Amino acid sequence: MSVEEKVAQISAQLLFMNEYYQKRDYSKGHVRNVGHFLPDGGLPNDPKIVAERINEDTRKSIEASRWGIPVLQNGEALHGAQWGNATCFPQSIGMAATFDDDLYYKVGQVVAKELRAVGVRQVYAPVVNVTRDQRWGRGQESYGEDVLMNSLMGVAYTKALEEGGVVATPKHYVDNYGEGGHDSFASQMSWRALREVYLEPFRACVQEGGARGIMASYNSVDGIPSSFNSRLLKDILKNEWGFKGIVISDYGGVEGVHNAHHMAESELDALALCLENGLDVQMANTDEGLIQLVKDGKVSEKTLDESVRRVLRLKFELGLFDEPFVDPVKAEGIVRSPEHRELAYEAACKAMTLLKNDGILPLKAGSVKRIGVFGPAANVLNVGDYSGGRGGWKGDGVTPYEGLKDALKGSAEVVLNTSGQNVASLARSCDVLVFFPTITEEEGSDRSSFKMPSAHEKAIREKTGAVIIADQQQYNIEIDQEKMVRDLIATGKPVIVVLHNGAVIDITDWVDGASAVLEAWYSGEQGGRAIADVLTGKVNPGGRLPMSWVKSVGQNPYYYSIKPSGRGYGYVENDGKPLYPFGYGLSYTTFDYSGFSMPESLSDGQPLKIKVTVTNTGEYPGDEVVQVYIHDELASVARPLKELVAFKRVSLKPGESKEVEIEVPYRRFAMWDADMKFRVEEGWFEVWLGRDAENKISGGRVSVKGGNI
C-alpha cells in the first residue's frame, strides 16, 4: 500500500445528508453516516432507506480503493441504534437503575441487531465514566457513581455489541469531567484514584467485554491531553491490558491539543503528537495534511503501519471484505419489531424507582374517578440526549399523559392541564394530581443548581443560548415548576410527582408534602406506558438508585464509597448524608431475609459464595435487589468505608421464598497497594447484605488469603 492509501485507512469523515453529502471523499476508511443521530434535515426514518444509503456509501468506498477495502460505518448507540425510528431504550442511568446486567445484555443484543441490519458496524458507546458529581450534564449517559455498576453494565453492553458484530467504543477515556462538575475539564485525579475508580470500567470493557474500540476524552489527565497521553493509550491500554483494537479521538479532540490545550503549534502538529503517542484514528474529519506529516517524518511509517494494521485487522474480523452490504428488505423486519418494543417496555418497567409512597400508590380501581395531569413533561416523549435525529426520536411511543389515559380508559377520567388553564380550578375538581417536571441537562449543559428550571430561568438562559429540556428538542417551560408543585400540594389533594431526569433534583422544599415520588428517568419509547402501569399497579416498581440522592448541590461531589475522614462527614447545615442513599428504592410489597450463610475463609483465587433466603411477605408480586457490600478491616492504604461487590435482582410472588446464591469473585477483594501493585492483601473483610448503601440486613466476616491478580 502507498502512503496515501495507508493514510486513507486511518482517516475519517463526518457525513451529513445535506450539502456535505456531495463532498464525500470515498477513499476515507471511516465515516459517520446517515445511520448516525446528527444529520441535519431530511433524516430518513425508514430502515430500508437507511440501509440502502449506507450500502451505496460502502459500494463507492470499495470502488475508490485500489485494494477494494470497505469503509467502517460509524454511528451512536447510547440507548438504542440512534437513527430515525430504531427501538429507543431507557437512557443508560435508567438501565443502571434496573440493577440487572443480564437484562442489559439482552438490550445490547437487540441494539446490535438493529445496527447491523442497516450496516452500522462501529458505535461510540457505552459511556463508562464513573459519575460522582451530579452537576455534570452528561451523568444521564453513565451508569452512576459506583465502580462495579459501571463495570458490569459496561461489560454487558459491550459484550452484546461485540458478539453481534458491532465494534463497541467505550468512552470517554478516561476522566471526562472535572472540578465543579464541568464537562471535559482537566482531571485533577491522582493516579491512585484513576486506578481505583475511573480506569477500572474501561479495563473491564476491554478485557472482559471484548471492546475493540476506545474513544479518548477531550480533557487532560495529569497535564497531558488524553488524545496523546502515551501513559494512558500505550502503557496502560495497549501494553498492560492487551488492547488490540483502535483508539479514536473524540470529535475535535486532536484539534483541541492545539486550540484548547495549547500544546502544539498547529492542528497538524497536534495530529502528529497524537498518532505518535497511541491514537489510531482522528475523528471526525481528518486533516488532509496527514500525508505530508508522514512524508516529512513527523509521523513515522512504523507508527502509520501499526495503526493501519489495527484498522485492517478490525475490518477483517468484522467480515467486511466478505459481506460488506446488508439486505435493506430484511432491515425492515428487524428494526423495531414487536419483540424489540416489548423488551424496551420491560426495561422501562424495571428502571422505575419509587422514592416515596404514603400509600396512595398503586392507584386503587374505583377509588379514583378523576386525575389531573400537570407539568412540562406530561405530554412530551422526553427520552434523554443522544436519541435519534436532531428533532428527537421519531417513533410512535406514547407520552406519560397518553399512557395514563389509555391505562385508565373506562375507569377514570384523565385531564391534562394546558397552557393558560387555571391550575387551582382543575386541581380542586380532581381526586389525585400527578405532576411531571423536567430539568435542563445534556452534553454541554452542566448545572450549578439542582432546582427545577422555571420560566424565569428560561429568560435568563436564552441570553446565553442554552436549551431548556434535553432530547435535542427545545420545549419552552412556561411555568415556575417549583411553585406549581407547591401550589398543587397546597390544595390538600394527593400529589404524585413523576420525575424525568438523569441526575439529582433538589426536592427538599416539597417532598414532605407529596404523597408519592416516582423516579422514571428517561425511560425510552415505552416510558409512558411503563409509568402508567406502575401508577396503576399493573407493574410493581423495583428499580434502585445508581447514585446517591443528595439534599443539596453543595454536597457535590458525593458518593457512598468514601474513604475515612480524620474529622467527620457532616456540614453545618446537615449531617452530610444523602436524602436517599445509593441502592435505595421502595416497593408495593415487603421482603424478609433469612438463612444468611457464607464461608469463614477464602483461599487464593477462590470466590466468596453467599446464600440467603428472600421471602415476599406482602400482597403484591415484586422484585427485590440483594446487594452485597464489603469493608477491608486492615489495609496498607486507606480503603473505602464500604464497597458494592455484588448484586442480584430477584422476582417473587406474594408469599414466595427463594434461596439466592451470589458469588463474589476473588478479584473484588483486591486493591492497589502502597507500591501500586494490584493484589489481594491477606486479612479480614466485613461482608454484609444491604437494602441500600446505608441499611444493613445481615452479614459476617471472612478471612481472605492474599494473592496476586
Side-chain angles (χ1 to χ4, degrees), residues 552-632:
S552 166
V553 67
Q555 289 179 263
N556 269 267
Y558 188 96
Y559 47 96
Y560 81 90
S561 56
I562 58 173
K563 293 182 178 180
S565 166
R567 178 73 64 182
Y569 304 95
Y571 294 92
V572 172
E573 299 87 357
N574 61 60
D575 59 8
K577 293 182 179 180
L579 185 64
Y580 303 116
F582 173 89
Y584 174 87
L586 301 177
S587 173
Y588 295 156
T589 191
T590 54
F591 299 94
D592 182 62
Y593 288 67
S594 62
F596 173 86
S597 67
M598 69 176 187
E600 295 181 352
S601 62
L602 293 181
S603 59
D604 183 1
Q606 181 183 7
L608 175 67
K609 296 182 179 181
I610 296 172
K611 293 182 180 180
V612 65
T613 298
V614 182
T615 303
N616 184 340
T617 56
E619 300 177 359
Y620 296 89
D623 290 4
E624 174 69 334
V625 177
V626 182
Q627 303 170 42
V628 183
Y629 296 85
I630 67 169
H631 171 63
D632 193 342

Side-chain angles (χ1 to χ4, degrees), residues 4-17:
E4 289 79 6
E5 290 168 331
K6 292 177 185 179
V7 164
Q9 286 305 303
I10 66 168
S11 296
Q13 186 173 10
L14 173 61
L15 176 62
F16 291 101
M17 293 308 295

Side-chain angles (χ1 to χ4, degrees), residues 539-561:
V539 171
N540 188 348
R544 300 292 185 269
L545 290 177
M547 59 189 184
S548 302
W549 197 286
V550 294
K551 300 166 186 169
S552 166
V553 67
Q555 289 179 263
N556 269 267
Y558 188 96
Y559 47 96
Y560 81 90
S561 56

Side-chain angles (χ1 to χ4, degrees), residues 232-295:
L232 288 174
L233 303 184
K234 286 186 174 181
D235 298 348
I236 295 176
L237 178 62
K238 293 182 176 180
N239 297 333
E240 183 181 325
W241 296 348
F243 177 70
K244 302 298 183 184
I246 59 173
V247 181
I248 67 173
S249 70
D250 205 338
Y251 275 28
V254 169
E255 295 92 323
V257 171
H258 161 65
N259 56 42
H261 298 289
H262 305 290
M263 297 182 69
E265 290 187 1
S266 68
E267 290 184 2
L268 269 179
D269 287 338
L271 179 55
L273 268 176
C274 292
L275 293 174
E276 286 293 340
N277 284 281
L279 192 76
D280 295 304
V281 178
Q282 177 190 11
M283 293 289 175
N285 296 305
T286 305
D287 196 299
E288 299 299 332
L290 176 53
I291 294 172
Q292 195 61 44
L293 285 177
V294 177
K295 290 182 176 180

Side-chain angles (χ1 to χ4, degrees), residues 46-163:
D46 185 273
K48 181 174 180 289
I49 296 175
V50 174
E52 287 172 345
R53 291 191 180 182
I54 291 179
N55 274 348
E56 178 191 11
D57 187 88
T58 297
R59 178 179 59 79
K60 290 181 177 179
S61 75
I62 292 173
E63 292 172 352
S65 168
R66 178 166 64 108
W67 303 101
I69 302 173
V71 69
L72 184 58
Q73 301 280 355
N74 309 136
E76 297 281 358
L78 187 60
H79 54 118
Q82 285 160 13
W83 51 267
N85 64 350
T87 308
C88 184
F89 291 92
Q91 182 59 279
S92 301
I93 195 71
M95 291 307 308
T98 68
F99 272 65
D100 191 341
D101 49 319
D102 290 334
L103 171 66
Y104 198 35
Y105 174 75
K106 295 177 183 177
V107 168
Q109 288 180 309
V110 166
V111 175
K113 287 179 183 178
E114 296 196 354
L115 289 164
R116 282 204 66 173
V118 299
V120 176
R121 301 303 297 273
Q122 181 186 15
V123 292
Y124 307 141
V127 172
V128 289
N129 295 120
V130 177
T131 306
R132 293 186 162 181
D133 194 322
Q134 295 297 322
R135 291 173 291 184
W136 186 39
R138 302 187 73 174
Q140 60 174 296
E141 301 173 27
S142 79
Y143 307 111
E145 71 181 52
D146 183 66
V147 178
L148 178 66
M149 179 65 73
N150 276 272
S151 299
L152 290 182
M153 300 302 275
V155 166
Y157 200 55
T158 295
K159 190 174 182 181
L161 290 172
E162 290 285 358
E163 289 177 352

